[in-house]
Amino acid sequence: MEDPAKPRYRRILLKLSGEALGGSRDYGIDFKVVRDVVRQVRQVHELGVETALVVGGGNIFRGREVAASGFDRATGDYMGMLGTVINALALQDGLEKLGLPARTMTAIQMNQVAEPYIRRRAMRHLEKGRVVILAGGSGNPYFTTDTTAALRAVELECDVLMKATKVDGVYTADPKSDPSATKLLRLGYMEVLNRGIEIMDNTALTLCMDNGMPIVVFDLLRDGNLVRAVQGDEVGTMVAASV
Ligand code: UDP
């Protein structure tokens, strides 16, 4: 039987979208959200769970939107990746204010601001109990921070990818318009792909599927959800190999 006090996961990767960090703002960072998020990260850190964070940049810049205005897509993507670094610094500061050791590592080098992303160094930080914030996306245009999250979760040997969203999981229909909608507790990767359920882009999902990386889709803004999920409570929806 599982020990209820013992966390289910030893090492997690938490994917936080830029949009979530923006809170109710159209642009930029809502520092109240940053404070809420880092408080939840502290709760899992206190359980001894090693935590890596991948942060998005949609609250600042999205390459696709730049391309839609007739500008160069790859340039727009680099602008988006730079936006993730701004978000990462806010999270790093928030974590440090709570006394948590944190390191920002970026896939796009900017030595004055953050460490370069080096896998082995990131692993070492995690082993030493530092929260690692992974910024700069994958460092490549035409990718997303969800794909970066899948890639880093796999290469850093995380036990799970926790995808924070604004809803508390995947429903059979939109619960806002359909009161009979029910939450799906578990889904197979293929089911998500075949039914076109929008959890993350297909590149990210396929990477998780090919490497058996489970994904938990959950609402991070509900206080205590992260620690509950890490302790193995049924929070949100789990996407994994079908049973
Ligand atoms: N981006 C990129 N390569 C990456 C990750 C991100 O080019 O590996 C760019 C892309 O333009 C994207 C933007 O950075 O739109 C912000 O990332 P994303 O949209 O994934 O952020 P989120 O939706 O999670 O806030």
Side-chain angles (χ1 to χ4, degrees):
M1 219 176 80
E2 249 180 281
D3 175 356
K6 199 168 163 260
R8 182 174 189 176
Y9 306 112
R10 177 189 53 92
R11 180 177 292 171
I12 63 168
L13 189 137
L14 175 64
K15 163 68 209 297
L16 200 66
S17 72
E19 205 186 2
L21 274 190
S24 53
R25 297 169 60 123
D26 287 338
Y27 184 83
I29 299 170
D30 181 341
F31 284 91
K32 185 186 170 303
V33 175
V34 175
R35 272 192 287 273
D36 289 347
V37 169
V38 295
R39 262 199 297 267
Q40 292 213 55
V41 172
R42 180 168 65 178
Q43 290 173 355
V44 294
H45 188 264
E46 281 168 353
L47 294 177
V49 176
E50 296 174 12
T51 308
L53 274 160
V54 166
V55 63
N59 55 326
I60 298 174
F61 232 92
R62 280 208 175 91
R64 245 178 301 116
E65 288 161 14
V66 182
S69 316
F71 286 84
D72 183 56
R73 164 70 192 261
T75 304
D77 281 339
Y78 281 110
M79 292 163 83
M81 286 185 266
L82 295 179
T84 69
V85 182
I86 295 175
N87 288 333
L89 294 182
L91 285 166
Q92 178 177 262
D93 193 55
L95 288 163
E96 286 177 343
K97 287 272 171 348
L98 292 184
L100 262 74
R103 298 286 186 278
T104 299
M105 304 188 97
T106 169
I108 295 179
Q109 290 212 22
M110 45 181 101
N111 296 336
Q112 285 77 359
V113 174
E115 293 180 24
Y117 173 72
I118 297 167
R119 173 178 174 263
R120 289 169 65 99
R121 195 179 284 176
M123 304 268 266
R124 187 88 185 108
H125 284 323
L126 290 169
E127 284 160 9
K128 287 193 159 187
R130 296 169 186 145
V131 178
V132 175
I133 307 159
L134 300 158
S138 65
N140 301 292
Y142 297 95
F143 283 89
T144 63
T145 51
D146 277 356
T147 300
T148 308
L151 170 67
R152 300 292 187 236
V154 172
E155 68 171 322
L156 295 176
E157 297 169 9
C158 295
D159 300 317
V160 66
L161 193 170
M162 317 270 316
K163 156 101 179 161
T165 62
K166 284 182 175 172
V167 285
D168 67 339
V170 180
Y171 281 77
T172 49
D174 183 354
K176 281 195 204 110
S177 52
D178 184 350
S180 69
T182 53
K183 190 164 84 176
L184 300 162
L185 292 178
R186 206 183 156 97
L187 278 167
Y189 299 109
M190 284 313 288
E191 221 177 329
V192 175
L193 281 171
N194 291 339
R195 285 167 60 181
I197 300 171
E198 288 178 16
I199 290 173
M200 42 175 63
D201 58 87
N202 287 352
T203 313
L205 196 73
T206 310
L207 200 54
C208 288
M209 180 170 74
D210 289 350
N211 293 284
M213 176 61 59
I215 307 161
V216 174
V217 182
F218 75 113
D219 179 5
L220 180 64
L221 298 182
R222 191 171 300 172
D223 196 32
N225 252 2
L226 182 62
V227 78
R228 275 196 291 277
V230 162
Q231 281 172 322
D233 287 5
E234 276 182 343
V235 171
T237 299
M238 159 87 79
V239 182
S242 35
V243 278

